[in-house]
CSV table of all heavy atoms in Angstrom, one decimal:
chain,number,residue,atom,x,y,z
E,933,MET,N,15.8,48.3,6.7
E,933,MET,CA,16.3,47.6,5.5
E,933,MET,C,16.0,46.1,5.6
E,933,MET,O,15.5,45.5,4.7
E,933,MET,CB,17.8,47.8,5.4
E,933,MET,CG,18.4,47.2,4.2
E,933,MET,SD,20.2,47.7,4.0
E,933,MET,CE,20.7,46.5,2.8
E,934,TRP,N,16.3,45.5,6.8
E,934,TRP,CA,16.0,44.1,7.0
E,934,TRP,C,14.7,43.9,7.6
E,934,TRP,O,14.4,44.5,8.7
E,934,TRP,CB,17.1,43.4,7.8
E,934,TRP,CG,18.5,43.6,7.2
E,934,TRP,CD1,19.4,44.4,7.5
E,934,TRP,CD2,19.0,42.8,6.1
E,934,TRP,NE1,20.5,44.3,6.7
E,934,TRP,CE2,20.3,43.3,5.8
E,934,TRP,CE3,18.4,41.8,5.3
E,934,TRP,CZ2,21.0,42.7,4.8
E,934,TRP,CZ3,19.2,41.3,4.3
E,934,TRP,CH2,20.5,41.7,4.1
E,935,GLU,N,13.8,43.2,7.0
E,935,GLU,CA,12.5,43.0,7.6
E,935,GLU,C,12.2,41.5,7.7
E,935,GLU,O,12.7,40.7,6.9
E,935,GLU,CB,11.4,43.5,6.7
E,935,GLU,CG,11.5,45.0,6.4
E,935,GLU,CD,10.4,45.5,5.4
E,935,GLU,OE1,9.6,44.7,5.1
E,935,GLU,OE2,10.5,46.6,5.0
E,936,ALA,N,11.5,41.1,8.8
E,936,ALA,CA,11.2,39.7,8.9
E,936,ALA,C,10.1,39.3,7.9
E,936,ALA,O,9.2,40.1,7.6
E,936,ALA,CB,10.6,39.4,10.3
E,937,CYS,N,10.3,38.1,7.3
E,937,CYS,CA,9.3,37.7,6.4
E,937,CYS,C,8.2,37.0,7.1
E,937,CYS,O,8.3,35.9,7.6
E,937,CYS,CB,10.0,36.7,5.4
E,937,CYS,SG,8.9,36.1,4.1
E,938,THR,N,7.0,37.7,7.2
E,938,THR,CA,5.9,37.2,8.0
E,938,THR,C,4.8,36.6,7.1
E,938,THR,O,3.8,36.1,7.6
E,938,THR,CB,5.3,38.2,8.9
E,938,THR,OG1,4.9,39.3,8.0
E,938,THR,CG2,6.3,38.7,9.9
E,939,ASP,N,5.0,36.7,5.8
E,939,ASP,CA,4.0,36.2,4.8
E,939,ASP,C,4.7,35.5,3.7
E,939,ASP,O,5.9,35.7,3.4
E,939,ASP,CB,3.2,37.4,4.3
E,939,ASP,CG,2.0,37.0,3.5
E,939,ASP,OD1,1.7,35.8,3.6
E,939,ASP,OD2,1.4,37.8,2.9
E,940,VAL,N,4.0,34.6,3.0
E,940,VAL,CA,4.6,33.9,1.9
E,940,VAL,C,4.9,34.8,0.7
E,940,VAL,O,5.8,34.6,-0.1
E,940,VAL,CB,3.6,32.7,1.5
E,940,VAL,CG1,4.2,32.1,0.2
E,940,VAL,CG2,3.5,31.7,2.6
E,941,ALA,N,4.1,35.9,0.7
E,941,ALA,CA,4.2,36.9,-0.4
E,941,ALA,C,5.3,37.9,-0.2
E,941,ALA,O,5.3,38.9,-0.9
E,941,ALA,CB,2.9,37.6,-0.6
E,942,CYS,N,6.3,37.7,0.7
E,942,CYS,CA,7.3,38.7,0.9
E,942,CYS,C,8.3,38.6,-0.3
E,942,CYS,O,8.4,37.6,-1.0
E,942,CYS,CB,8.1,38.4,2.2
E,942,CYS,SG,9.2,37.0,2.1
E,943,GLY,N,9.0,39.7,-0.5
E,943,GLY,CA,9.8,39.8,-1.7
E,943,GLY,C,11.1,39.0,-1.7
E,943,GLY,O,11.7,38.8,-2.7
E,944,ASN,N,11.6,38.6,-0.5
E,944,ASN,CA,12.9,38.0,-0.4
E,944,ASN,C,12.8,36.5,-0.5
E,944,ASN,O,12.1,35.8,0.3
E,944,ASN,CB,13.6,38.4,0.9
E,944,ASN,CG,15.0,37.9,0.9
E,944,ASN,OD1,15.5,37.2,0.1
E,944,ASN,ND2,15.8,38.4,1.9
E,945,LEU,N,13.3,35.9,-1.6
E,945,LEU,CA,13.2,34.4,-1.8
E,945,LEU,C,13.9,33.6,-0.6
E,945,LEU,O,13.3,32.6,-0.2
E,945,LEU,CB,13.8,34.0,-3.1
E,945,LEU,CG,13.9,32.5,-3.4
E,945,LEU,CD1,12.5,32.0,-3.6
E,945,LEU,CD2,14.7,32.3,-4.6
E,946,PHE,N,15.0,34.1,-0.2
E,946,PHE,CA,15.7,33.4,0.9
E,946,PHE,C,15.0,33.4,2.2
E,946,PHE,O,15.0,32.5,3.0
E,946,PHE,CB,17.2,33.9,1.0
E,946,PHE,CG,18.0,33.7,-0.3
E,946,PHE,CD1,18.3,34.7,-1.1
E,946,PHE,CD2,18.4,32.4,-0.6
E,946,PHE,CE1,19.0,34.5,-2.3
E,946,PHE,CE2,19.1,32.2,-1.8
E,946,PHE,CZ,19.4,33.3,-2.6
E,947,ALA,N,14.4,34.6,2.5
E,947,ALA,CA,13.6,34.7,3.7
E,947,ALA,C,12.4,33.7,3.6
E,947,ALA,O,12.0,33.1,4.6
E,947,ALA,CB,13.1,36.1,3.9
E,948,TRP,N,11.8,33.6,2.4
E,948,TRP,CA,10.7,32.7,2.2
E,948,TRP,C,11.1,31.2,2.4
E,948,TRP,O,10.4,30.4,3.0
E,948,TRP,CB,10.1,32.9,0.8
E,948,TRP,CG,8.9,32.0,0.5
E,948,TRP,CD1,7.7,32.2,1.0
E,948,TRP,CD2,8.9,30.9,-0.4
E,948,TRP,NE1,6.9,31.2,0.5
E,948,TRP,CE2,7.6,30.4,-0.3
E,948,TRP,CE3,9.8,30.3,-1.2
E,948,TRP,CZ2,7.1,29.4,-1.1
E,948,TRP,CZ3,9.4,29.2,-2.0
E,948,TRP,CH2,8.1,28.8,-1.9
E,949,LEU,N,12.3,30.9,1.9
E,949,LEU,CA,12.8,29.5,2.1
E,949,LEU,C,13.1,29.2,3.6
E,949,LEU,O,13.1,28.1,4.0
E,949,LEU,CB,14.1,29.3,1.3
E,949,LEU,CG,13.9,29.2,-0.2
E,949,LEU,CD1,15.2,29.0,-0.9
E,949,LEU,CD2,13.0,28.0,-0.6
E,950,ASN,N,13.4,30.3,4.3
E,950,ASN,CA,13.8,30.1,5.7
E,950,ASN,C,12.6,30.0,6.7
E,950,ASN,O,12.8,30.0,7.9
E,950,ASN,CB,14.7,31.3,6.1
E,950,ASN,CG,15.6,31.0,7.3
E,950,ASN,OD1,15.8,29.8,7.6
E,950,ASN,ND2,16.0,32.0,8.1
E,951,GLN,N,11.4,30.0,6.1
E,951,GLN,CA,10.2,29.9,7.0
E,951,GLN,C,10.2,28.6,7.8
E,951,GLN,O,9.7,28.6,8.9
E,951,GLN,CB,9.0,30.0,6.1
E,951,GLN,CG,8.7,31.3,5.6
E,951,GLN,CD,8.4,32.3,6.7
E,951,GLN,OE1,7.6,32.1,7.5
E,951,GLN,NE2,9.1,33.4,6.7
E,952,GLY,N,10.7,27.5,7.2
E,952,GLY,CA,10.7,26.3,7.9
E,952,GLY,C,11.3,25.2,7.1
E,952,GLY,O,11.5,25.4,5.9
E,953,PRO,N,11.6,24.0,7.7
E,953,PRO,CA,12.2,23.0,7.0
E,953,PRO,C,11.3,22.4,5.8
E,953,PRO,O,11.8,21.9,4.8
E,953,PRO,CB,12.5,21.9,8.0
E,953,PRO,CG,11.6,22.2,9.2
E,953,PRO,CD,11.4,23.7,9.1
E,954,LEU,N,10.0,22.5,6.0
E,954,LEU,CA,9.1,21.9,5.0
E,954,LEU,C,9.2,22.7,3.7
E,954,LEU,O,9.3,22.1,2.6
E,954,LEU,CB,7.7,21.9,5.5
E,954,LEU,CG,6.7,21.3,4.5
E,954,LEU,CD1,7.0,19.8,4.2
E,954,LEU,CD2,5.3,21.3,5.0
E,955,THR,N,9.3,24.0,3.8
E,955,THR,CA,9.4,24.9,2.6
E,955,THR,C,10.7,24.6,1.9
E,955,THR,O,10.7,24.4,0.6
E,955,THR,CB,9.4,26.3,3.0
E,955,THR,OG1,8.3,26.6,3.9
E,955,THR,CG2,9.2,27.2,1.8
E,956,LEU,N,11.8,24.5,2.6
E,956,LEU,CA,13.1,24.2,1.9
E,956,LEU,C,13.0,22.8,1.3
E,956,LEU,O,13.5,22.6,0.2
E,956,LEU,CB,14.2,24.3,3.0
E,956,LEU,CG,15.6,24.1,2.4
E,956,LEU,CD1,15.9,25.2,1.4
E,956,LEU,CD2,16.6,24.2,3.5
E,957,THR,N,12.4,21.8,2.0
E,957,THR,CA,12.3,20.5,1.4
E,957,THR,C,11.5,20.4,0.1
E,957,THR,O,11.9,19.8,-0.8
E,957,THR,CB,11.7,19.5,2.5
E,957,THR,OG1,12.5,19.6,3.6
E,957,THR,CG2,11.7,18.1,1.9
E,958,LEU,N,10.4,21.2,0.1
E,958,LEU,CA,9.6,21.2,-1.1
E,958,LEU,C,10.3,21.8,-2.2
E,958,LEU,O,10.2,21.3,-3.4
E,958,LEU,CB,8.3,21.9,-0.8
E,958,LEU,CG,7.3,21.2,0.1
E,958,LEU,CD1,6.1,22.1,0.4
E,958,LEU,CD2,6.8,19.9,-0.5
E,959,VAL,N,11.1,22.9,-2.0
E,959,VAL,CA,11.8,23.6,-3.1
E,959,VAL,C,12.9,22.7,-3.6
E,959,VAL,O,13.1,22.5,-4.8
E,959,VAL,CB,12.3,24.9,-2.6
E,959,VAL,CG1,13.3,25.5,-3.6
E,959,VAL,CG2,11.2,25.9,-2.3
E,960,LEU,N,13.6,22.0,-2.7
E,960,LEU,CA,14.7,21.2,-3.2
E,960,LEU,C,14.2,20.0,-3.9
E,960,LEU,O,14.8,19.6,-4.9
E,960,LEU,CB,15.5,20.7,-2.0
E,960,LEU,CG,16.4,21.7,-1.3
E,960,LEU,CD1,17.1,21.2,-0.1
E,960,LEU,CD2,17.4,22.3,-2.3
E,961,HIS,N,13.1,19.4,-3.5
E,961,HIS,CA,12.5,18.3,-4.3
E,961,HIS,C,12.0,18.8,-5.6
E,961,HIS,O,12.1,18.0,-6.6
E,961,HIS,CB,11.3,17.7,-3.5
E,961,HIS,CG,11.8,16.7,-2.5
E,961,HIS,ND1,12.4,17.1,-1.3
E,961,HIS,CD2,11.8,15.3,-2.4
E,961,HIS,CE1,12.7,16.0,-0.6
E,961,HIS,NE2,12.4,14.9,-1.3
E,962,THR,N,11.5,20.0,-5.7
E,962,THR,CA,11.0,20.5,-7.0
E,962,THR,C,12.2,20.7,-7.9
E,962,THR,O,12.1,20.4,-9.1
E,962,THR,CB,10.3,21.8,-6.8
E,962,THR,OG1,9.2,21.6,-5.9
E,962,THR,CG2,9.7,22.3,-8.1
E,963,ILE,N,13.3,21.1,-7.4
E,963,ILE,CA,14.5,21.4,-8.2
E,963,ILE,C,15.2,20.1,-8.6
E,963,ILE,O,15.7,20.0,-9.7
E,963,ILE,CB,15.4,22.4,-7.5
E,963,ILE,CG1,14.8,23.8,-7.4
E,963,ILE,CG2,16.7,22.5,-8.2
E,963,ILE,CD1,15.5,24.7,-6.5
E,964,ILE,N,15.3,19.2,-7.7
E,964,ILE,CA,16.1,18.0,-7.9
E,964,ILE,C,15.3,16.7,-8.3
E,964,ILE,O,15.7,16.1,-9.3
E,964,ILE,CB,17.0,17.7,-6.7
E,964,ILE,CG1,17.9,18.9,-6.4
E,964,ILE,CG2,17.7,16.4,-6.8
E,964,ILE,CD1,18.6,18.8,-5.1
E,965,VAL,N,14.3,16.4,-7.6
E,965,VAL,CA,13.6,15.1,-7.8
E,965,VAL,C,12.8,15.1,-9.0
E,965,VAL,O,12.8,14.1,-9.8
E,965,VAL,CB,12.8,14.7,-6.5
E,965,VAL,CG1,12.1,13.4,-6.7
E,965,VAL,CG2,13.8,14.6,-5.3
E,966,ILE,N,12.0,16.1,-9.3
E,966,ILE,CA,11.1,16.1,-10.4
E,966,ILE,C,11.8,16.0,-11.7
E,966,ILE,O,11.5,15.2,-12.6
E,966,ILE,CB,10.1,17.3,-10.3
E,966,ILE,CG1,9.2,17.1,-9.2
E,966,ILE,CG2,9.4,17.5,-11.6
E,966,ILE,CD1,8.2,18.3,-9.0
E,967,PRO,N,12.9,16.8,-11.9
E,967,PRO,CA,13.7,16.5,-13.2
E,967,PRO,C,14.3,15.1,-13.3
E,967,PRO,O,14.5,14.6,-14.4
E,967,PRO,CB,14.8,17.6,-13.1
E,967,PRO,CG,14.3,18.6,-12.3
E,967,PRO,CD,13.4,18.0,-11.3
E,968,MET,N,14.5,14.5,-12.2
E,968,MET,CA,15.0,13.1,-12.3
E,968,MET,C,14.0,12.2,-13.0
E,968,MET,O,14.4,11.2,-13.6
E,968,MET,CB,15.4,12.6,-10.9
E,968,MET,CG,16.7,13.2,-10.3
E,968,MET,SD,17.0,12.7,-8.6
E,968,MET,CE,17.3,11.0,-8.8
E,969,PHE,N,12.7,12.4,-12.8
E,969,PHE,CA,11.7,11.6,-13.4
E,969,PHE,C,11.8,11.8,-14.9
E,969,PHE,O,11.7,10.8,-15.7
E,969,PHE,CB,10.3,11.9,-12.9
E,969,PHE,CG,10.0,11.4,-11.6
E,969,PHE,CD1,10.0,12.2,-10.5
E,969,PHE,CD2,9.8,10.0,-11.4
E,969,PHE,CE1,9.7,11.7,-9.2
E,969,PHE,CE2,9.5,9.5,-10.2
E,969,PHE,CZ,9.5,10.3,-9.1
E,970,PHE,N,12.0,13.0,-15.4
E,970,PHE,CA,12.1,13.3,-16.8
E,970,PHE,C,13.3,12.6,-17.4
E,970,PHE,O,13.3,12.0,-18.5
E,970,PHE,CB,12.1,14.8,-17.1
E,970,PHE,CG,10.8,15.4,-16.8
E,970,PHE,CD1,10.6,16.2,-15.7
E,970,PHE,CD2,9.7,15.2,-17.6
E,970,PHE,CE1,9.4,16.8,-15.4
E,970,PHE,CE2,8.4,15.8,-17.4
E,970,PHE,CZ,8.3,16.6,-16.3
E,971,ILE,N,14.4,12.7,-16.7
E,971,ILE,CA,15.7,12.1,-17.1
E,971,ILE,C,15.5,10.6,-17.2
E,971,ILE,O,16.0,9.9,-18.2
E,971,ILE,CB,16.9,12.5,-16.2
E,971,ILE,CG1,17.1,14.0,-16.4
E,971,ILE,CG2,18.1,11.7,-16.6
E,971,ILE,CD1,18.0,14.6,-15.3
E,972,TYR,N,14.9,10.0,-16.2
E,972,TYR,CA,14.7,8.6,-16.1
E,972,TYR,C,13.9,8.1,-17.3
E,972,TYR,O,14.3,7.1,-18.0
E,972,TYR,CB,14.0,8.2,-14.8
E,972,TYR,CG,13.5,6.7,-14.8
E,972,TYR,CD1,14.4,5.7,-14.6
E,972,TYR,CD2,12.2,6.4,-15.0
E,972,TYR,CE1,14.0,4.4,-14.6
E,972,TYR,CE2,11.7,5.1,-15.0
E,972,TYR,CZ,12.6,4.1,-14.8
E,972,TYR,OH,12.2,2.8,-14.8
E,973,PHE,N,12.8,8.7,-17.6
E,973,PHE,CA,12.0,8.2,-18.8
E,973,PHE,C,12.6,8.5,-20.1
E,973,PHE,O,12.5,7.7,-21.0
E,973,PHE,CB,10.6,8.9,-18.7
E,973,PHE,CG,9.7,8.4,-17.6
E,973,PHE,CD1,9.3,9.2,-16.6
E,973,PHE,CD2,9.3,7.0,-17.6
E,973,PHE,CE1,8.5,8.7,-15.5
E,973,PHE,CE2,8.6,6.5,-16.6
E,973,PHE,CZ,8.1,7.4,-15.5
E,974,GLN,N,13.4,9.6,-20.2
E,974,GLN,CA,14.1,9.9,-21.4
E,974,GLN,C,15.2,8.8,-21.7
E,974,GLN,O,15.3,8.3,-22.8
E,974,GLN,CB,14.8,11.2,-21.3
E,974,GLN,CG,15.4,11.8,-22.5
E,974,GLN,CD,16.0,13.2,-22.3
E,974,GLN,OE1,16.1,13.6,-21.2
E,974,GLN,NE2,16.4,13.8,-23.4
E,975,GLU,N,16.0,8.4,-20.6
E,975,GLU,CA,17.0,7.4,-20.8
E,975,GLU,C,16.4,6.0,-21.1
E,975,GLU,O,16.9,5.2,-21.8
E,975,GLU,CB,17.9,7.4,-19.6
E,975,GLU,CG,18.7,8.6,-19.4
E,975,GLU,CD,19.7,8.8,-20.5
E,975,GLU,OE1,20.3,7.8,-20.9
E,975,GLU,OE2,19.9,10.0,-20.8
E,976,LYS,N,15.2,5.8,-20.4
E,976,LYS,CA,14.5,4.5,-20.6
E,976,LYS,C,14.1,4.4,-22.1
E,976,LYS,O,14.2,3.3,-22.7
E,976,LYS,CB,13.4,4.4,-19.7
E,976,LYS,CG,12.7,3.1,-19.7
E,976,LYS,CD,11.5,3.1,-18.7
E,976,LYS,CE,10.8,1.8,-18.8
E,976,LYS,NZ,9.6,1.8,-17.9
E,977,LYS,N,13.6,5.5,-22.6
E,977,LYS,CA,13.2,5.5,-24.0
E,977,LYS,C,14.4,5.2,-25.0
E,977,LYS,O,14.3,4.5,-25.9
E,977,LYS,CB,12.5,6.8,-24.4
E,977,LYS,CG,11.7,6.8,-25.7
E,977,LYS,CD,10.8,7.9,-25.9
E,977,LYS,CE,11.5,9.2,-25.8
E,977,LYS,NZ,10.6,10.4,-26.1
E,978,LYS,N,15.5,5.8,-24.6
E,978,LYS,CA,16.7,5.6,-25.5
E,978,LYS,C,17.1,4.2,-25.4
E,978,LYS,O,17.5,3.6,-26.5
E,978,LYS,CB,17.9,6.5,-24.9
E,978,LYS,CG,17.9,7.9,-25.4
E,978,LYS,CD,19.2,8.6,-24.9
E,978,LYS,CE,19.1,10.1,-24.9
E,978,LYS,NZ,20.2,10.7,-24.3
E,979,LEU,N,17.1,3.6,-24.3
E,979,LEU,CA,17.5,2.2,-24.2
E,979,LEU,C,16.6,1.2,-24.9
E,979,LEU,O,17.0,0.3,-25.5
E,979,LEU,CB,17.6,1.7,-22.7
E,979,LEU,CG,18.8,2.3,-21.9
E,979,LEU,CD1,18.7,2.0,-20.4
E,979,LEU,CD2,20.1,1.7,-22.5
E,980,GLU,N,15.3,1.5,-24.9
E,980,GLU,CA,14.3,0.7,-25.6
E,980,GLU,C,14.5,0.8,-27.1
E,980,GLU,O,14.3,-0.2,-27.8
E,980,GLU,CB,12.9,1.0,-25.1
E,980,GLU,CG,12.6,0.6,-23.7
E,980,GLU,CD,11.2,1.0,-23.2
E,980,GLU,OE1,10.6,1.8,-24.0
E,980,GLU,OE2,10.8,0.6,-22.1
E,981,GLN,N,14.8,2.0,-27.6
E,981,GLN,CA,15.0,2.2,-29.0
E,981,GLN,C,16.3,1.5,-29.5
E,981,GLN,O,16.4,1.1,-30.6
E,981,GLN,CB,15.0,3.6,-29.3
E,981,GLN,CG,13.7,4.3,-29.2
E,981,GLN,CD,13.7,5.8,-29.5
E,981,GLN,OE1,14.8,6.4,-29.6
E,981,GLN,NE2,12.5,6.4,-29.5
E,982,GLY,N,17.3,1.4,-28.6
E,982,GLY,CA,18.6,0.9,-29.0
E,982,GLY,C,18.6,-0.6,-29.2
E,982,GLY,O,19.4,-1.2,-29.8
E,983,GLU,N,17.6,-1.3,-28.6
E,983,GLU,CA,17.6,-2.8,-28.6
E,983,GLU,C,17.0,-3.2,-30.0
E,983,GLU,O,16.3,-2.6,-30.6
E,983,GLU,CB,16.7,-3.3,-27.5
E,983,GLU,CG,17.3,-3.2,-26.1
E,983,GLU,CD,16.4,-3.7,-25.0
E,983,GLU,OE1,15.3,-4.2,-25.3
E,983,GLU,OE2,16.8,-3.6,-23.9
């Protein structure tokens, strides 16, 4: 039932994230940091229109 994830193409997402710290870091940055850029530019545009 439990298999070690030896390849990136394994079916278990959590096993894939557990491959190493770099994988987890990349996923967290994708989820958290990239949307922050969109929010930043959206709010900046709102402030420029309000003036």
